[in-house]
Amino acid sequence: QRTDASLCAAMRLAHEGAAGGVITCGATGAVLVTSIMILGKLPRLRPILAVELTNPAGEPLLLLDCGANIDSRPELYPAFAHLGDAYMRCIGCSSPRIALLSNGAEAKKGCEAVKAAHALLAEQPFRFVGNIEATSALRGSADVIVCEAFTGNVILKLTEGLAWNILKLLKNKFTDGGVAKMGALLLSGKMRELKSEFDYSEYGGAPILGVKGSIVKMHGSSNANAV
């Protein structure tokens, strides 16, 4: 309703060509709505929030949707997958493996929406590799993991929280008296490397795919380094 809001002003600048894109810490819903209303969305596609993660080999892994479409209908999953496929090809992955997040690897596993989505994804021209469970989602067997936004957002935040908990446990183990001081000093450099890998500020933000413009949604508590 507030057309004079800074987010609206930024979107208008991008729409008019006065800006190359928009970077924002604003609420995901507001960013999504203003980008669609002002920039417009791509035909036959549903805008999504995509988060680029890293698998154990250091290769990019895309998780989507992570916040734009809650309780998605089955027919929206192929649209999500097409956007993920295009994104991965743009960053150098020639034949992205698309997987559907579910509670089992078998096609019959999952809620009704996920089972219906599996059938629709199997008919698409991209490289669909079937269902993938959360336990193996980040191991590198898929390049794009498709899910609806509620699940994607929970997976993302759980991953962030678990990573920080593990780092905290490691730090405590090597600094609470049981290990030689020199060993702790040697480990500290590796700890800093690990910390930077899991620090959201090192990644900046996540793109909103499916709109006619470059939009990056940052964490609500992003610091100057993230910007």
Side-chain angles (χ1 to χ4, degrees):
Q1 294 180 348
R2 287 196 55 191
T3 56
D4 61 338
S6 60
L7 183 59
C8 294
M11 292 292 179
R12 282 196 295 270
L13 288 172
H15 178 64
E16 295 164 0
V22 175
I23 302 171
T24 175
C25 296
T28 302
V31 176
L32 187 67
V33 170
T34 53
S35 63
I36 292 173
M37 295 297 292
I38 297 175
L39 296 175
K41 68 183 187 71
L42 298 177
R44 298 182 299 280
L45 293 174
R46 185 67 169 260
I48 56 173
L49 184 67
V51 174
E52 186 179 319
L53 304 172
T54 304
N55 66 28
E59 300 164 335
L61 166 67
L62 200 65
L63 178 67
L64 50 87
D65 183 9
C66 289
N69 301 277
I70 304 293
D71 290 330
S72 301
R73 302 188 307 276
E75 57 268 28
L76 292 180
Y77 285 70
F80 299 168
H82 276 292
L83 286 168
D85 181 74
Y87 179 95
M88 293 302 292
R89 289 178 186 276
C90 284
I91 64 172
C93 183
S94 60
S95 182
R97 296 161 298 172
I98 314 292
L100 175 64
L101 189 64
S102 187
N103 64 330
E106 301 87 352
K108 63 181 180 180
K109 288 293 185 73
C111 62
E112 292 304 316
V114 168
K115 287 187 285 188
H118 185 283
L120 294 173
L121 288 167
E123 299 172 351
Q124 301 302 312
F126 46 67
R127 188 180 174 189
F128 179 55
V129 296
N131 286 355
I132 192 169
E133 295 184 83
T135 50
S136 56
L138 305 183
R139 294 179 185 174
S141 57
D143 303 301
V144 178
I145 298 173
V146 179
C147 57
E148 55 87 34
F150 180 83
T151 304
N153 196 264
V154 170
I155 289 285
L156 179 63
K157 290 177 178 176
L158 176 62
T159 302
E160 291 176 348
L162 182 60
W164 280 104
N165 285 345
I166 292 173
L167 290 174
K168 184 67 175 179
L169 286 170
L170 285 172
K171 181 179 178 181
N172 291 341
K173 289 289 184 182
F174 286 95
T175 56
D176 285 352
V179 178
K181 186 175 181 181
M182 182 58 71
L185 289 173
L186 290 172
L187 183 68
S188 63
K190 294 296 182 183
M191 288 291 290
R192 282 194 295 270
E193 290 178 15
L194 279 172
K195 182 177 181 293
S196 66
E197 287 187 24
F198 291 111
D199 186 357
Y200 72 85
S201 69
E202 294 293 331
Y203 294 87
I208 289 185
L209 306 180
V211 295
K212 297 177 180 179
S214 299
I215 311 297
V216 174
K217 169 68 175 71
M218 294 187 297
H219 199 285
S221 58
S222 291
N223 56 23
N225 184 54
V227 177

